[in-house]
Amino acid sequence: MKARLAVLLLLLMIAIFTYYKVSYRDFDEAIRDSNVPVDEVFYTIDFNDNLIVFYGSHGDVLSVASIEKTLLGFRWVFGTGSKQFNEGDRMLTHMFSNLQPTRKMSHDNELLSLTFGVINDPLIETLEIKYKDQDFAKATIIETSQGRIWYCFSESPVTYDPEVKVHYLDGTEKTGWH
């Protein structure tokens, strides 16, 4: 009986040590140890028990990642996408991403799906995004040190360009990516 208890305790200690090695105590340490170049964190949001991070790298690239909040701290899960700030003639850029779920997610096939990009036109006031079989949803716009960025989550995986309505400061509205 004592031998079984000793083996069980040893296995428990190994599991905790292994888990600790892939979890980090603080947010900055998780980013540093991800081996992903991050110049600046622009914005973070807690979405469905996942920390979504919008960050800049290589001077003018916007990317997005998910970071898991664990009992022992934070763990980088998955990062993807890149849109450049100041893409010349592109007044509104967009990219979609289906981020990997964290270990907390109940189903392995669930994804954290969103579209995001950069707003290079100062006259754009708001955006609305429409995904397949969903209503238009207002995109969130964030001011950053590099310029304005935007994002909008989808209820289902994104595999195509969604529809967009662009609302300008003068009251006009345009549809489509331009």
Side-chain angles (χ1 to χ4, degrees):
M1 182 68 167
K2 286 184 180 182
R4 282 187 180 169
L5 184 58
V7 169
L8 182 61
L9 287 174
L10 179 63
L11 290 175
L12 182 61
M13 288 177 19
I14 290 171
I16 290 171
F17 178 75
T18 302
Y19 185 77
Y20 180 76
K21 281 303 204 182
V22 296
S23 295
Y24 305 98
R25 289 182 217 171
D26 68 28
F27 182 78
D28 293 331
E29 185 181 357
I31 290 174
R32 266 193 319 274
D33 290 349
S34 70
N35 292 322
V36 174
V38 176
D39 296 338
E40 180 179 357
V41 173
F42 296 125
Y43 185 72
T44 61
I45 183 172
D46 193 339
F47 181 76
N48 291 347
D49 292 328
N50 295 276
L51 189 61
I52 308 300
V53 179
F54 295 88
Y55 64 95
S57 61
H58 304 295
D60 70 344
V61 176
L62 170 66
S63 299
V64 66
S66 61
I67 293 182
E68 180 181 20
K69 293 180 283 186
T70 71
L71 292 174
L72 301 172
F74 295 91
R75 183 181 69 87
W76 183 279
V77 177
F78 188 77
T80 187
S82 60
K83 273 323 251 182
Q84 289 184 319
F85 288 90
N86 306 315
E87 277 191 33
D89 61 344
R90 302 292 301 173
M91 294 294 103
L92 179 65
T93 68
H94 66 286
M95 170 169 217
F96 62 83
S97 181
N98 296 298
L99 297 172
Q100 298 289 325
T102 66
R103 290 181 286 204
K104 287 189 215 176
M105 299 294 280
S106 58
H107 304 295
D108 288 340
N109 60 351
E110 290 184 36
L111 295 172
L112 304 168
S113 302
L114 72 153
T115 306
F116 67 98
V118 176
I119 299 173
N120 291 314
D121 185 345
L123 301 177
I124 293 176
E125 183 176 30
T126 62
L127 302 172
E128 291 182 82
I129 305 297
K130 183 178 185 326
Y131 297 105
K132 188 177 186 177
D133 300 326
Q134 297 175 42
D135 293 331
F136 273 98
K138 189 173 181 181
T140 301
I141 297 174
I142 307 296
E143 295 284 342
T144 74
S145 62
Q146 296 288 326
R148 291 190 302 161
I149 64 173
W150 69 273
Y151 69 90
C152 187
F153 287 99
S154 173
E155 297 168 4
S156 58
V158 182
T159 57
Y160 59 92
D161 288 340
E163 295 178 43
V164 63
K165 286 184 191 175
V166 181
H167 302 273
Y168 290 88
L169 290 172
D170 66 4
T172 60
E173 178 184 294
K174 289 185 181 178
T175 58
W177 300 100
H178 54 87

